[in-house]
Structure formats: structure tokens, C-alpha cells
Amino acid sequence: MSSTVTESADQPSSSATAAGAPVTRAEYCAVAVAEAFAGDGEFIASAFGTIPAIGVRLARLTVAPDLLLTDGEARFVSGSWQIGADPHTTEGVVVEGWSPFRTIFDLVWHGKRHVMMIPSQIDGHGNTNISAIGDYAKPKAQLIGVRGAPGNSVYHPTSYWVPNHSTRVFVPTVDMVSGVGTDSARAAGPAASAYHDLRRVVTNLAVLDFGGPDGAMRLLSLHPGVTLEEFRAATGCDVHVEDEVPATREPSAEELRLIREVIDPRSLRDREIPA
């Protein structure tokens, strides 16, 4: 991380409230996820994790009305429904399209998808690992394999969600490249770089993108209550930090209402990111 920046002042905890309840860290994260999808057109939003699932539903209700959301199987559905509920039993949710498994590859290859994945490791240029920890020939831990990460990261917009920001996740070099980072795409040439589009990394501490020099990871904001020192101590790779680091913006009253009353009234978000 840059050693020539001016440290930002410690960010205070938020005082914003809705119905008397302070804004939680999970709610800041959900709004940051929604903003990662802002302006997306008629794209499939594939979001892994509770907070991302809340965020994409919030995005469609606010900043990305044309997003396509699925029922978790093969149907596109309109409207919104509670996290953990069956959309087909929710009033106002209507099936608006069908996408069997064989068609998903066409959509991926044509770039009509924005995925938010959860990396086991990520480095300072956005290379990610979800396959194995340790020497690939004899790993300490076998994970889920590369799955769709290579294709996702070179064919369509890709973002990442890290619920536990730590030096175990943010590493100098990933043990195995599953998702392609900005440096790897550049080195591989046009076949990998032509449609390579890493958007955001949202964590329980901060929001980042890849707007640093040569596609380096850049710190965009710290969640209220998180200091730059805390962020640095939890980050094991280089991150470009500019002179002023703002706080992640507070949710509006309407965004809080949608999160708390429409999308996640059971507060499942607080299980992933404790208040």
C-alpha cells in the first residue's frame, strides 16, 4: 500500500437512524453492493452470499431497475421477495422468463451477466482463488475448484464480496489463479483482456475497485467506524490509497425501509455481518 498518502481521520460510527434503529455495518455493506450494480442494464445479477442477495434486490428497486433476478433455479422473476422466502409464494412476484442451464453459457459469453463471487484469496490486482490453499500439487486444503471463475472474469462484469476482510483473504499472491486479475488479463493478451471488467470489491470493512495504477486495487471508502490503520492491518496485499479516504455513504431512509421491511425483515444480514 502507498506510503506517501495522507492518513484520513478516523471515521466515526454512523448516527443515521430509521425508526429509531442505528444503521448497521451489514446495511452499509448492502447499499455498497447495490451501488456496484448501479446503472447495469438488462443483465443477469448473480450474487453469492446474504448481503449480495440483499444488495442486488435493493439495486433493482433503486439504481438498476432493469436487472434480471432469478428464483435460484431457471426462471427470471419480477418484483421483490424476502431473503430466504420462496418467490413463487410472494404476492407481486411474476415469472417473466426462462433460462435453462444450457442457455447460461450463451449469456456469459455475450457478457450479459454481472456476478459477485466470494473469493477465498484475492491479490492486489484482483486475481482470485477458490480452488486450493497451498502448493497446488499438494494443497493444504482443497476448495471447490475454479468453477466458472475464469470465464466469468474474462467475459462479463465481475465483482467480489468478502464478509471477513483479513490477511488470509487479501494476500500478496494467490495460491492458484481461478478468477483473472487485471495484470493476468493484460499478460494473456486480447483474448482475456478484451472484455475483462472487474468492478468492485465490497468487504465488511471497506469498498474497493481497480482504479489504481496499472489496474491495481484502490480503496474507495471505509465503512463508518473503520480506521485506515485497521484496514491496513487486515490487508495482506498492496492497495492504492489516495490522499482522502471518504466514509461509505449512509443509506437513505427509503433504502433502509426496503432492506428492513421488504427485503430482509428477519435481519438475516446481521448473521453474515454482526451488528
Short mmCIF file of all heavy atoms in Angstrom, two decimals, residues 43-102:
data_model
loop_
_atom_site.label_atom_id
_atom_site.label_comp_id
_atom_site.label_asym_id
_atom_site.label_seq_id
_atom_site.Cartn_x
_atom_site.Cartn_y
_atom_site.Cartn_z
N PHE A 43 -29.10 -7.03 -17.42
CA PHE A 43 -28.07 -8.02 -17.11
C PHE A 43 -28.62 -8.98 -16.07
O PHE A 43 -29.41 -8.59 -15.19
CB PHE A 43 -26.84 -7.34 -16.49
CG PHE A 43 -25.85 -6.80 -17.49
CD1 PHE A 43 -26.26 -6.01 -18.56
CD2 PHE A 43 -24.50 -7.07 -17.36
CE1 PHE A 43 -25.36 -5.51 -19.46
CE2 PHE A 43 -23.58 -6.57 -18.26
CZ PHE A 43 -24.01 -5.79 -19.31
N ILE A 44 -28.17 -10.23 -16.13
CA ILE A 44 -28.43 -11.15 -15.03
C ILE A 44 -27.53 -10.75 -13.88
O ILE A 44 -26.33 -10.58 -14.04
CB ILE A 44 -28.12 -12.60 -15.42
CG1 ILE A 44 -28.96 -13.04 -16.61
CG2 ILE A 44 -28.36 -13.54 -14.24
CD1 ILE A 44 -28.55 -14.41 -17.13
N ALA A 45 -28.11 -10.61 -12.70
CA ALA A 45 -27.34 -10.35 -11.50
C ALA A 45 -27.20 -11.66 -10.73
O ALA A 45 -28.19 -12.21 -10.25
CB ALA A 45 -28.03 -9.30 -10.63
N SER A 46 -25.98 -12.15 -10.64
CA SER A 46 -25.71 -13.39 -9.90
C SER A 46 -24.90 -13.02 -8.67
O SER A 46 -23.73 -12.63 -8.80
CB SER A 46 -24.94 -14.39 -10.76
OG SER A 46 -25.70 -14.78 -11.88
N ALA A 47 -25.50 -13.12 -7.51
CA ALA A 47 -24.86 -12.64 -6.29
C ALA A 47 -24.81 -13.76 -5.26
O ALA A 47 -25.83 -14.35 -4.93
CB ALA A 47 -25.62 -11.45 -5.72
N PHE A 48 -23.61 -14.02 -4.74
CA PHE A 48 -23.40 -15.10 -3.78
C PHE A 48 -23.23 -14.51 -2.39
O PHE A 48 -22.42 -13.61 -2.18
CB PHE A 48 -22.18 -15.93 -4.18
CG PHE A 48 -22.34 -16.63 -5.49
CD1 PHE A 48 -21.97 -16.00 -6.67
CD2 PHE A 48 -22.88 -17.90 -5.56
CE1 PHE A 48 -22.12 -16.63 -7.90
CE2 PHE A 48 -23.04 -18.54 -6.78
CZ PHE A 48 -22.66 -17.90 -7.95
N GLY A 49 -23.98 -15.03 -1.43
CA GLY A 49 -23.92 -14.53 -0.07
C GLY A 49 -25.19 -13.76 0.28
O GLY A 49 -25.90 -13.26 -0.60
N THR A 50 -25.47 -13.66 1.57
CA THR A 50 -26.70 -12.99 2.01
C THR A 50 -26.68 -11.51 1.68
O THR A 50 -27.65 -10.97 1.12
CB THR A 50 -26.88 -13.19 3.53
OG1 THR A 50 -26.99 -14.59 3.80
CG2 THR A 50 -28.14 -12.49 4.02
N ILE A 51 -25.60 -10.82 2.04
CA ILE A 51 -25.52 -9.38 1.77
C ILE A 51 -25.62 -9.10 0.27
O ILE A 51 -26.38 -8.21 -0.15
CB ILE A 51 -24.24 -8.78 2.36
CG1 ILE A 51 -24.22 -8.92 3.89
CG2 ILE A 51 -24.09 -7.32 1.95
CD1 ILE A 51 -25.29 -8.16 4.62
N PRO A 52 -24.88 -9.81 -0.61
CA PRO A 52 -25.07 -9.59 -2.04
C PRO A 52 -26.49 -9.85 -2.52
O PRO A 52 -27.00 -9.13 -3.39
CB PRO A 52 -24.07 -10.55 -2.68
CG PRO A 52 -22.97 -10.63 -1.67
CD PRO A 52 -23.70 -10.66 -0.35
N ALA A 53 -27.16 -10.87 -1.98
CA ALA A 53 -28.54 -11.14 -2.39
C ALA A 53 -29.44 -9.97 -2.01
O ALA A 53 -30.35 -9.59 -2.77
CB ALA A 53 -29.03 -12.43 -1.74
N ILE A 54 -29.22 -9.39 -0.84
CA ILE A 54 -29.97 -8.20 -0.44
C ILE A 54 -29.62 -7.04 -1.35
O ILE A 54 -30.49 -6.30 -1.82
CB ILE A 54 -29.67 -7.85 1.03
CG1 ILE A 54 -30.19 -8.94 1.96
CG2 ILE A 54 -30.27 -6.49 1.40
CD1 ILE A 54 -29.69 -8.81 3.39
N GLY A 55 -28.33 -6.88 -1.63
CA GLY A 55 -27.87 -5.75 -2.43
C GLY A 55 -28.43 -5.73 -3.83
O GLY A 55 -28.82 -4.67 -4.33
N VAL A 56 -28.49 -6.89 -4.51
CA VAL A 56 -29.00 -6.87 -5.88
C VAL A 56 -30.51 -6.61 -5.91
O VAL A 56 -31.01 -5.96 -6.83
CB VAL A 56 -28.65 -8.16 -6.65
CG1 VAL A 56 -27.14 -8.28 -6.82
CG2 VAL A 56 -29.23 -9.40 -6.01
N ARG A 57 -31.22 -7.08 -4.90
CA ARG A 57 -32.66 -6.77 -4.85
C ARG A 57 -32.87 -5.29 -4.58
O ARG A 57 -33.76 -4.65 -5.17
CB ARG A 57 -33.35 -7.64 -3.80
CG ARG A 57 -33.33 -9.11 -4.19
CD ARG A 57 -33.96 -10.01 -3.16
NE ARG A 57 -33.41 -11.37 -3.32
CZ ARG A 57 -33.87 -12.43 -2.70
NH1 ARG A 57 -34.91 -12.33 -1.87
NH2 ARG A 57 -33.33 -13.61 -2.90
N LEU A 58 -32.03 -4.73 -3.71
CA LEU A 58 -32.10 -3.29 -3.45
C LEU A 58 -31.74 -2.52 -4.72
O LEU A 58 -32.39 -1.52 -5.04
CB LEU A 58 -31.16 -2.93 -2.31
CG LEU A 58 -31.11 -1.46 -1.92
CD1 LEU A 58 -32.46 -0.99 -1.38
CD2 LEU A 58 -30.00 -1.22 -0.89
N ALA A 59 -30.74 -2.99 -5.45
CA ALA A 59 -30.34 -2.31 -6.69
C ALA A 59 -31.50 -2.26 -7.67
O ALA A 59 -31.75 -1.22 -8.30
CB ALA A 59 -29.13 -3.01 -7.31
N ARG A 60 -32.21 -3.39 -7.83
CA ARG A 60 -33.30 -3.40 -8.81
C ARG A 60 -34.44 -2.47 -8.38
O ARG A 60 -35.13 -1.90 -9.23
CB ARG A 60 -33.83 -4.81 -9.03
CG ARG A 60 -34.82 -4.82 -10.19
CD ARG A 60 -35.10 -6.19 -10.73
NE ARG A 60 -35.88 -7.01 -9.82
CZ ARG A 60 -36.40 -8.19 -10.15
NH1 ARG A 60 -36.18 -8.68 -11.36
NH2 ARG A 60 -37.08 -8.90 -9.29
N LEU A 61 -34.62 -2.29 -7.09
CA LEU A 61 -35.67 -1.40 -6.60
C LEU A 61 -35.25 0.07 -6.61
O LEU A 61 -36.09 0.94 -6.39
CB LEU A 61 -36.07 -1.80 -5.19
CG LEU A 61 -36.79 -3.14 -5.04
CD1 LEU A 61 -36.90 -3.53 -3.57
CD2 LEU A 61 -38.16 -3.10 -5.70
N THR A 62 -33.96 0.33 -6.88
CA THR A 62 -33.47 1.72 -6.79
C THR A 62 -32.64 2.12 -8.00
O THR A 62 -33.11 2.88 -8.85
CB THR A 62 -32.66 1.92 -5.49
OG1 THR A 62 -31.59 0.96 -5.44
CG2 THR A 62 -33.54 1.77 -4.25
N VAL A 63 -31.41 1.63 -8.11
CA VAL A 63 -30.44 2.18 -9.07
C VAL A 63 -30.25 1.35 -10.33
O VAL A 63 -29.53 1.76 -11.24
CB VAL A 63 -29.06 2.37 -8.39
CG1 VAL A 63 -29.16 3.42 -7.30
CG2 VAL A 63 -28.54 1.05 -7.83
N ALA A 64 -30.87 0.17 -10.42
CA ALA A 64 -30.70 -0.69 -11.60
C ALA A 64 -32.00 -1.42 -11.88
O ALA A 64 -32.09 -2.64 -11.73
CB ALA A 64 -29.55 -1.68 -11.37
N PRO A 65 -33.04 -0.71 -12.31
CA PRO A 65 -34.37 -1.32 -12.44
C PRO A 65 -34.48 -2.40 -13.49
O PRO A 65 -35.45 -3.18 -13.47
CB PRO A 65 -35.27 -0.12 -12.79
CG PRO A 65 -34.34 0.89 -13.38
CD PRO A 65 -33.05 0.73 -12.66
N ASP A 66 -33.52 -2.49 -14.42
CA ASP A 66 -33.61 -3.48 -15.48
C ASP A 66 -32.86 -4.77 -15.18
O ASP A 66 -32.80 -5.67 -16.03
CB ASP A 66 -33.09 -2.89 -16.80
CG ASP A 66 -33.96 -1.77 -17.32
OD1 ASP A 66 -35.19 -1.84 -17.14
OD2 ASP A 66 -33.41 -0.82 -17.91
N LEU A 67 -32.29 -4.88 -13.99
CA LEU A 67 -31.59 -6.12 -13.62
C LEU A 67 -32.54 -7.31 -13.72
O LEU A 67 -33.73 -7.21 -13.40
CB LEU A 67 -31.07 -6.04 -12.18
CG LEU A 67 -29.75 -5.33 -11.91
CD1 LEU A 67 -29.44 -5.43 -10.42
CD2 LEU A 67 -28.62 -5.90 -12.73
N LEU A 68 -31.98 -8.44 -14.11
CA LEU A 68 -32.74 -9.69 -14.13
C LEU A 68 -32.32 -10.53 -12.94
O LEU A 68 -31.14 -10.81 -12.75
CB LEU A 68 -32.47 -10.45 -15.43
CG LEU A 68 -32.90 -9.77 -16.72
CD1 LEU A 68 -32.44 -10.57 -17.93
CD2 LEU A 68 -34.42 -9.58 -16.76
N LEU A 69 -33.29 -10.92 -12.14
CA LEU A 69 -33.04 -11.78 -10.99
C LEU A 69 -33.73 -13.12 -11.21
O LEU A 69 -34.81 -13.19 -11.81
CB LEU A 69 -33.57 -11.13 -9.71
CG LEU A 69 -33.04 -9.74 -9.37
CD1 LEU A 69 -33.59 -9.28 -8.02
CD2 LEU A 69 -31.52 -9.72 -9.34
N THR A 70 -33.10 -14.16 -10.69
CA THR A 70 -33.68 -15.49 -10.86
C THR A 70 -34.29 -15.98 -9.56
O THR A 70 -34.03 -15.44 -8.48
CB THR A 70 -32.63 -16.51 -11.33
OG1 THR A 70 -31.81 -16.89 -10.21
CG2 THR A 70 -31.75 -15.94 -12.43
N ASP A 71 -35.08 -17.05 -9.68
CA ASP A 71 -35.67 -17.67 -8.50
C ASP A 71 -34.72 -18.67 -7.86
O ASP A 71 -35.09 -19.43 -6.97
CB ASP A 71 -36.98 -18.36 -8.85
CG ASP A 71 -36.82 -19.48 -9.89
OD1 ASP A 71 -35.68 -19.67 -10.38
OD2 ASP A 71 -37.81 -20.15 -10.19
N GLY A 72 -33.46 -18.69 -8.32
CA GLY A 72 -32.48 -19.63 -7.81
C GLY A 72 -32.42 -20.91 -8.62
O GLY A 72 -31.57 -21.77 -8.37
N GLU A 73 -33.29 -21.01 -9.61
CA GLU A 73 -33.30 -22.18 -10.48
C GLU A 73 -33.20 -21.72 -11.93
O GLU A 73 -32.13 -21.32 -12.37
CB GLU A 73 -34.54 -23.03 -10.21
CG GLU A 73 -34.53 -23.63 -8.80
CD GLU A 73 -35.70 -24.54 -8.52
OE1 GLU A 73 -36.49 -24.82 -9.47
OE2 GLU A 73 -35.85 -24.99 -7.37
N ALA A 74 -34.29 -21.75 -12.67
CA ALA A 74 -34.19 -21.46 -14.11
C ALA A 74 -35.18 -20.40 -14.58
O ALA A 74 -35.39 -20.24 -15.78
CB ALA A 74 -34.41 -22.75 -14.90
N ARG A 75 -35.78 -19.66 -13.65
CA ARG A 75 -36.77 -18.66 -14.05
C ARG A 75 -36.32 -17.26 -13.64
O ARG A 75 -35.81 -17.06 -12.54
CB ARG A 75 -38.12 -18.97 -13.39
CG ARG A 75 -38.71 -20.30 -13.81
CD ARG A 75 -39.98 -20.58 -13.01
NE ARG A 75 -40.55 -21.89 -13.34
CZ ARG A 75 -40.18 -23.03 -12.75
NH1 ARG A 75 -39.24 -23.02 -11.81
NH2 ARG A 75 -40.72 -24.16 -13.10
N PHE A 76 -36.55 -16.31 -14.54
CA PHE A 76 -36.39 -14.91 -14.20
C PHE A 76 -37.70 -14.43 -13.60
O PHE A 76 -38.78 -14.74 -14.12
CB PHE A 76 -36.06 -14.07 -15.43
CG PHE A 76 -34.74 -14.42 -16.06
CD1 PHE A 76 -34.66 -14.73 -17.41
CD2 PHE A 76 -33.59 -14.43 -15.31
CE1 PHE A 76 -33.45 -15.04 -18.00
CE2 PHE A 76 -32.36 -14.75 -15.88
CZ PHE A 76 -32.29 -15.05 -17.23
N VAL A 77 -37.60 -13.66 -12.51
CA VAL A 77 -38.82 -13.21 -11.85
C VAL A 77 -38.75 -11.70 -11.61
O VAL A 77 -37.69 -11.13 -11.36
CB VAL A 77 -39.04 -13.94 -10.50
CG1 VAL A 77 -39.36 -15.40 -10.74
CG2 VAL A 77 -37.81 -13.83 -9.60
N SER A 78 -39.90 -11.06 -11.71
CA SER A 78 -40.03 -9.64 -11.42
C SER A 78 -40.44 -9.46 -9.97
O SER A 78 -40.78 -10.42 -9.27
CB SER A 78 -41.06 -9.00 -12.35
OG SER A 78 -42.35 -9.55 -12.09
N GLY A 79 -40.46 -8.21 -9.51
CA GLY A 79 -40.85 -7.94 -8.14
C GLY A 79 -39.73 -8.24 -7.17
O GLY A 79 -38.59 -8.48 -7.54
N SER A 80 -40.07 -8.20 -5.87
CA SER A 80 -39.08 -8.48 -4.83
C SER A 80 -39.69 -9.41 -3.81
O SER A 80 -40.91 -9.48 -3.66
CB SER A 80 -38.62 -7.18 -4.16
OG SER A 80 -37.53 -7.42 -3.30
N TRP A 81 -38.82 -10.13 -3.12
CA TRP A 81 -39.28 -11.07 -2.11
C TRP A 81 -38.25 -11.14 -1.00
O TRP A 81 -37.09 -10.76 -1.16
CB TRP A 81 -39.55 -12.43 -2.72
CG TRP A 81 -38.34 -13.15 -3.27
CD1 TRP A 81 -37.61 -14.13 -2.67
CD2 TRP A 81 -37.69 -12.92 -4.54
NE1 TRP A 81 -36.57 -14.55 -3.46
CE2 TRP A 81 -36.59 -13.81 -4.62
CE3 TRP A 81 -37.95 -12.04 -5.60
CZ2 TRP A 81 -35.75 -13.84 -5.72
CZ3 TRP A 81 -37.11 -12.09 -6.71
CH2 TRP A 81 -36.02 -12.98 -6.76
N GLN A 82 -38.67 -11.62 0.15
CA GLN A 82 -37.80 -11.69 1.30
C GLN A 82 -36.67 -12.68 1.10
O GLN A 82 -36.84 -13.73 0.46
CB GLN A 82 -38.60 -12.11 2.54
CG GLN A 82 -39.63 -11.11 3.02
CD GLN A 82 -40.33 -11.60 4.27
OE1 GLN A 82 -39.83 -12.48 4.97
NE2 GLN A 82 -41.48 -11.03 4.57
N ILE A 83 -35.53 -12.34 1.66
CA ILE A 83 -34.41 -13.28 1.67
C ILE A 83 -34.84 -14.55 2.40
O ILE A 83 -35.40 -14.50 3.50
CB ILE A 83 -33.19 -12.65 2.39
CG1 ILE A 83 -32.66 -11.47 1.58
CG2 ILE A 83 -32.09 -13.68 2.61
CD1 ILE A 83 -32.12 -11.82 0.22
N GLY A 84 -34.61 -15.69 1.78
CA GLY A 84 -34.96 -16.97 2.38
C GLY A 84 -36.36 -17.44 2.08
O GLY A 84 -36.72 -18.56 2.46
N ALA A 85 -37.15 -16.61 1.39
CA ALA A 85 -38.53 -16.99 1.08
C ALA A 85 -38.63 -17.52 -0.34
O ALA A 85 -37.74 -17.32 -1.17
CB ALA A 85 -39.46 -15.79 1.25
N ASP A 86 -39.72 -18.22 -0.62
CA ASP A 86 -39.99 -18.73 -1.96
C ASP A 86 -40.63 -17.61 -2.77
O ASP A 86 -41.72 -17.13 -2.44
CB ASP A 86 -40.95 -19.92 -1.87
CG ASP A 86 -41.27 -20.52 -3.23
OD1 ASP A 86 -40.86 -19.95 -4.25
OD2 ASP A 86 -41.95 -21.56 -3.27
N PRO A 87 -39.96 -17.14 -3.84
CA PRO A 87 -40.54 -16.03 -4.59
C PRO A 87 -41.89 -16.36 -5.20
O PRO A 87 -42.73 -15.47 -5.39
CB PRO A 87 -39.49 -15.77 -5.68
CG PRO A 87 -38.72 -17.03 -5.80
CD PRO A 87 -38.70 -17.60 -4.41
N HIS A 88 -42.15 -17.64 -5.47
CA HIS A 88 -43.39 -18.02 -6.15
C HIS A 88 -44.60 -17.99 -5.21
O HIS A 88 -45.73 -18.14 -5.67
CB HIS A 88 -43.23 -19.39 -6.80
CG HIS A 88 -42.09 -19.44 -7.76
ND1 HIS A 88 -42.07 -18.75 -8.94
CD2 HIS A 88 -40.88 -20.09 -7.70
CE1 HIS A 88 -40.93 -18.96 -9.58
NE2 HIS A 88 -40.19 -19.77 -8.85
N THR A 89 -44.36 -17.80 -3.93
CA THR A 89 -45.47 -17.67 -2.99
C THR A 89 -45.61 -16.24 -2.50
O THR A 89 -46.38 -15.98 -1.58
CB THR A 89 -45.27 -18.60 -1.78
OG1 THR A 89 -44.08 -18.22 -1.07
CG2 THR A 89 -45.15 -20.05 -2.23
N THR A 90 -44.87 -15.32 -3.12
CA THR A 90 -44.88 -13.92 -2.71
C THR A 90 -45.76 -13.11 -3.65
O THR A 90 -45.59 -13.16 -4.87
CB THR A 90 -43.46 -13.33 -2.70
OG1 THR A 90 -42.64 -14.09 -1.81
CG2 THR A 90 -43.48 -11.87 -2.26
N GLU A 91 -46.69 -12.36 -3.09
CA GLU A 91 -47.58 -11.54 -3.90
C GLU A 91 -46.76 -10.52 -4.69
O GLU A 91 -45.86 -9.86 -4.17
CB GLU A 91 -48.58 -10.82 -3.00
CG GLU A 91 -49.60 -9.99 -3.76
CD GLU A 91 -50.62 -9.32 -2.86
OE1 GLU A 91 -50.57 -9.58 -1.64
OE2 GLU A 91 -51.45 -8.55 -3.37
N GLY A 92 -47.09 -10.38 -5.97
CA GLY A 92 -46.42 -9.40 -6.82
C GLY A 92 -45.21 -9.93 -7.55
O GLY A 92 -44.68 -9.25 -8.43
N VAL A 93 -44.76 -11.13 -7.24
CA VAL A 93 -43.62 -11.72 -7.95
C VAL A 93 -44.17 -12.54 -9.12
O VAL A 93 -45.01 -13.42 -8.92
CB VAL A 93 -42.76 -12.60 -7.02
CG1 VAL A 93 -41.69 -13.32 -7.83
CG2 VAL A 93 -42.13 -11.75 -5.93
N VAL A 94 -43.69 -12.23 -10.30
CA VAL A 94 -44.22 -12.85 -11.52
C VAL A 94 -43.05 -13.44 -12.31
O VAL A 94 -42.00 -12.82 -12.45
CB VAL A 94 -44.96 -11.81 -12.39
CG1 VAL A 94 -45.43 -12.44 -13.70
CG2 VAL A 94 -46.11 -11.21 -11.61
N VAL A 95 -43.24 -14.65 -12.83
CA VAL A 95 -42.24 -15.25 -13.72
C VAL A 95 -42.26 -14.49 -15.04
O VAL A 95 -43.30 -14.36 -15.68
CB VAL A 95 -42.52 -16.75 -13.95
CG1 VAL A 95 -41.54 -17.31 -14.98
CG2 VAL A 95 -42.41 -17.52 -12.65
N GLU A 96 -41.09 -13.96 -15.45
CA GLU A 96 -41.03 -13.18 -16.68
C GLU A 96 -40.10 -13.78 -17.73
O GLU A 96 -39.96 -13.21 -18.81
CB GLU A 96 -40.60 -11.74 -16.37
CG GLU A 96 -39.26 -11.60 -15.67
CD GLU A 96 -38.92 -10.15 -15.35
OE1 GLU A 96 -39.73 -9.26 -15.69
OE2 GLU A 96 -37.86 -9.91 -14.76
N GLY A 97 -39.48 -14.91 -17.42
CA GLY A 97 -38.60 -15.53 -18.40
C GLY A 97 -38.08 -16.86 -17.91
O GLY A 97 -38.22 -17.22 -16.74
N TRP A 98 -37.48 -17.60 -18.84
CA TRP A 98 -36.98 -18.94 -18.53
C TRP A 98 -35.57 -19.05 -19.08
O TRP A 98 -35.30 -18.67 -20.21
CB TRP A 98 -37.90 -20.00 -19.16
CG TRP A 98 -37.51 -21.41 -18.84
CD1 TRP A 98 -37.33 -21.97 -17.61
CD2 TRP A 98 -37.28 -22.47 -19.79
NE1 TRP A 98 -37.00 -23.30 -17.72
CE2 TRP A 98 -36.96 -23.63 -19.05
CE3 TRP A 98 -37.31 -22.55 -21.17
CZ2 TRP A 98 -36.67 -24.86 -19.65
CZ3 TRP A 98 -37.04 -23.76 -21.79
CH2 TRP A 98 -36.72 -24.91 -21.02
N SER A 99 -34.66 -19.57 -18.27
CA SER A 99 -33.27 -19.72 -18.70
C SER A 99 -32.74 -21.06 -18.20
O SER A 99 -32.13 -21.13 -17.13
CB SER A 99 -32.41 -18.58 -18.16
OG SER A 99 -31.06 -18.73 -18.55
N PRO A 100 -32.94 -22.13 -18.96
CA PRO A 100 -32.41 -23.43 -18.54
C PRO A 100 -30.88 -23.40 -18.55
O PRO A 100 -30.25 -22.51 -19.13
CB PRO A 100 -32.96 -24.39 -19.59
CG PRO A 100 -33.21 -23.53 -20.79
CD PRO A 100 -33.63 -22.19 -20.25
N PHE A 101 -30.28 -24.40 -17.93
CA PHE A 101 -28.84 -24.41 -17.73
C PHE A 101 -28.07 -24.26 -19.04
O PHE A 101 -27.05 -23.57 -19.09
CB PHE A 101 -28.42 -25.71 -17.02
CG PHE A 101 -26.97 -25.76 -16.67
CD1 PHE A 101 -26.44 -24.96 -15.67
CD2 PHE A 101 -26.11 -26.60 -17.37
CE1 PHE A 101 -25.10 -24.99 -15.36
CE2 PHE A 101 -24.76 -26.65 -17.05
CZ PHE A 101 -24.25 -25.84 -16.05
N ARG A 102 -28.56 -24.84 -20.10
CA ARG A 102 -27.81 -24.81 -21.35
C ARG A 102 -27.68 -23.40 -21.93
O ARG A 102 -26.79 -23.14 -22.74
CB ARG A 102 -28.46 -25.73 -22.38
CG ARG A 102 -29.84 -25.28 -22.84
CD ARG A 102 -30.40 -26.21 -23.92
NE ARG A 102 -31.72 -25.80 -24.38
CZ ARG A 102 -32.85 -26.16 -23.80
NH1 ARG A 102 -32.83 -26.97 -22.75
NH2 ARG A 102 -34.01 -25.74 -24.29
#
